[in-house]
Amino acid sequence: MLYSLALLFLSALIFGGICSKLKLPPLIGMLISGILLGPSVLDLLDGSLLDISAQLRKIALIIILTRAGLGLDINALKKVGRPALLMCFLPATAEIAGTLLLAPRLIGITLSEAAVLGTVLAAVSPAVVVPGMLKLISGGYGTKKGIPQLVMAGASVDDVYVIVLFTSFTAIASGDGFSPAQLIRIPFSVFSGLIAGALTGIAAEFILRKLKASADKIIVAAMSISFLFIYAEDKFTGFFGFSGLLAIMSMNAVYRKRSPRSAEDLSSKYKSLWTAAEMILFVLVGAAADIGCVMDSGLKAAVLVLAVMIFRMGGVFLCVLGTKLNAKERLFCMAAYTPKATVQAAIGSVPLAMGLSCGNIVLTAAVLAILITAPLGAFLIDFLHTRLLERETASNQ
């Protein structure tokens, strides 16, 4: 396994670095390196590493949600107002609806399988969006109307909303079909996750402050609590569900609100953790991809990815309708909210691991969504912001 880990990290660094030189997101190179190292091409990774890839991806997902929670400024979200709230769920909902409409006809899967696929495709990628928006803020583009803040705020919550739905829809798809009782579990899961996370965040901040715990010890405590939340989610299988993933983000968002300075220190340390976790995540999802399935269904899956992206952009348009944004600024928001990557890598192979019949096509669509939308979205953000957004004069002084 050590040999495989060495190959994983070195190939991720090399291919990621090449993509950076080509002005592409490094994660594209990591994904390609995983495809090359995986069983479908060179088959150089040890089977024991692939056997635990699901657990490693879950840890990466915990880090993603922790960073999202620590980076979520609740006051800024309130300041941006209604459009930011709508951006948290409306574009993703529109994309899921588009998948439900198109996927059964285009790639021949059932409605419940289309719901699973829709939730995999619907998450926006903070790994691509957030750096782009920070660049806009530093340059003063669109800041007068809060456009970068609007996009970042929505992207921080969008992922959690989609992941909660994904957990519910995979449970439905693996059972006997749609059930009203299963659907009712969704709001219970959301509510219980939010409350448990918020209360834990309050208690953890108070206890850790009294103990004067260092940032490193706080990270150990936070990761341990996160693991317990995931364990609790697996145990709550009855009528009253529990979203451990939402609890993780809620806990960290509350911690940030109560202790902003400590949250900033933690966020920087989690960024270092994410450097390694990102490589593991994207290389392993690339290794899990079945090249044969990509060749057979790739074209239809790619068409679906592009088609439902239009639904997503329509959802963004509805979010900013009635605001002070002009037509160019609305168009920019629509383009900036299209990149996919992180969540697709984290959950794209889960249906296959669960033994769902749609597993291969979901993974294929997830990989193609990353390869298509991550570089396209990054390019559009970089290309359009100088052409569509106003720059504040104060930034030039």
Side-chain angles (χ1 to χ4, degrees):
M1 186 183 289
L2 293 178
Y3 172 73
S4 295
L5 285 172
L7 286 180
L8 185 153
F9 287 121
L10 290 174
S11 65
L13 287 169
I14 293 170
F15 282 87
I18 291 173
C19 283
S20 293
K21 291 291 184 181
L22 297 174
K23 306 298 182 182
L24 294 172
L27 56 88
I28 298 296
M30 299 175 196
L31 187 65
I32 293 172
S33 70
I35 293 173
L36 294 175
L37 292 176
S40 294
V41 184
L42 298 176
D43 194 18
L44 295 178
L45 296 180
D46 190 275
S48 58
L49 178 61
L50 298 177
D51 289 341
I52 63 169
S53 64
Q55 286 73 28
L56 293 174
R57 288 196 302 273
K58 186 164 287 189
I59 293 173
L61 185 58
I62 289 172
I63 295 174
I64 293 168
L65 295 177
T66 300
R67 291 188 67 198
L70 291 173
L72 180 61
D73 189 337
I74 298 174
N75 292 326
L77 190 63
K78 292 178 180 177
K79 185 178 179 181
V80 176
R82 177 187 64 85
L85 178 62
L86 292 176
M87 290 280 274
C88 295
F89 67 90
L90 187 54
T93 301
E95 189 163 2
I96 293 170
T99 309
L100 287 170
L101 179 65
L102 299 177
R105 295 172 175 81
L106 191 59
I107 56 180
I109 59 177
T110 66
L111 199 62
S112 60
E113 292 171 340
V116 173
L117 175 57
T119 53
V120 171
L121 294 179
V124 73
S125 174
V128 179
V129 171
V130 172
M133 295 305 105
L134 291 175
K135 181 180 178 181
L136 265 62
I137 292 173
S138 65
Y141 287 96
T143 52
K144 186 176 181 180
K145 295 183 180 179
I147 293 171
Q149 295 89 337
L150 167 65
V151 174
M152 277 200 303
S156 298
V157 184
D158 170 280
D159 288 357
V160 181
Y161 169 70
V162 168
I163 291 168
V164 169
L165 289 181
F166 171 79
T167 304
S168 301
F169 288 149
T170 49
I172 292 171
S174 61
D176 298 324
F178 284 99
S179 165
Q182 290 173 314
L183 291 176
I184 292 172
R185 288 186 76 249
I186 297 176
F188 279 115
S189 298
V190 171
F191 180 76
S192 61
L194 283 173
I195 295 300
L199 293 177
T200 304
I202 293 170
E205 190 277 332
F206 176 78
I207 294 171
L208 293 170
R209 176 163 43 85
K210 289 297 183 181
L211 294 175
K212 296 182 179 180
S214 65
D216 292 333
K217 291 181 179 179
I218 294 175
I219 288 177
V220 173
M223 290 293 287
S224 300
I225 294 171
S226 297
F227 294 157
L228 291 175
F229 279 146
I230 298 300
Y231 175 79
E233 180 176 302
D234 293 337
K235 290 298 180 181
F236 279 83
T237 57
F239 182 81
F240 295 98
F242 176 76
S243 174
L245 300 173
L246 193 55
I248 293 169
M249 183 170 177
S250 175
M251 174 182 70
N252 287 283
V254 168
Y255 186 91
R256 174 196 165 98
K257 184 173 177 63
R258 293 176 63 85
S259 185
R261 184 172 298 178
S262 176
E264 287 182 10
D265 293 338
L266 292 176
S267 184
S268 65
K269 288 183 177 294
Y270 267 102
K271 185 177 180 180
S272 299
L273 281 177
W274 176 241
T275 299
E278 182 182 37
M279 295 179 188
I280 293 172
L281 180 61
F282 284 98
V283 172
L284 288 181
V285 78
D290 186 335
I291 297 299
C293 186
V294 172
M295 297 298 291
D296 292 339
S297 308
L299 180 58
K300 290 181 179 179
V303 170
L304 179 67
V305 167
L306 293 171
V308 297
M309 190 190 304
I310 297 172
F311 282 80
R312 179 177 195 85
M313 295 175 75
V316 175
F317 177 77
L318 293 176
C319 293
V320 297
L321 199 62
T323 65
K324 295 181 180 180
L325 302 188
N326 59 39
K328 289 183 177 181
E329 291 164 338
R330 293 175 186 176
L331 179 60
F332 176 81
C333 290
M334 292 162 66
Y337 220 56
T338 56
K340 316 293 179 66
T342 321
V343 174
Q344 286 72 26
I347 66 177
S349 61
V350 171
L352 181 62
M354 292 176 64
L356 297 182
S357 58
C358 63
N360 267 321
I361 188 63
V362 170
L363 178 57
T364 297
V367 170
L368 289 173
I370 297 170
L371 292 174
I372 294 170
T373 66
L376 177 61
F379 167 77
L380 289 175
I381 291 171
D382 191 54
F383 179 77
L384 294 177
H385 78 273
T386 57
R387 292 163 174 80
L388 301 181
L389 301 181
E390 294 181 8
R391 189 177 189 182
E392 285 199 74
T393 306
S395 300
N396 294 324
Q397 295 176 351

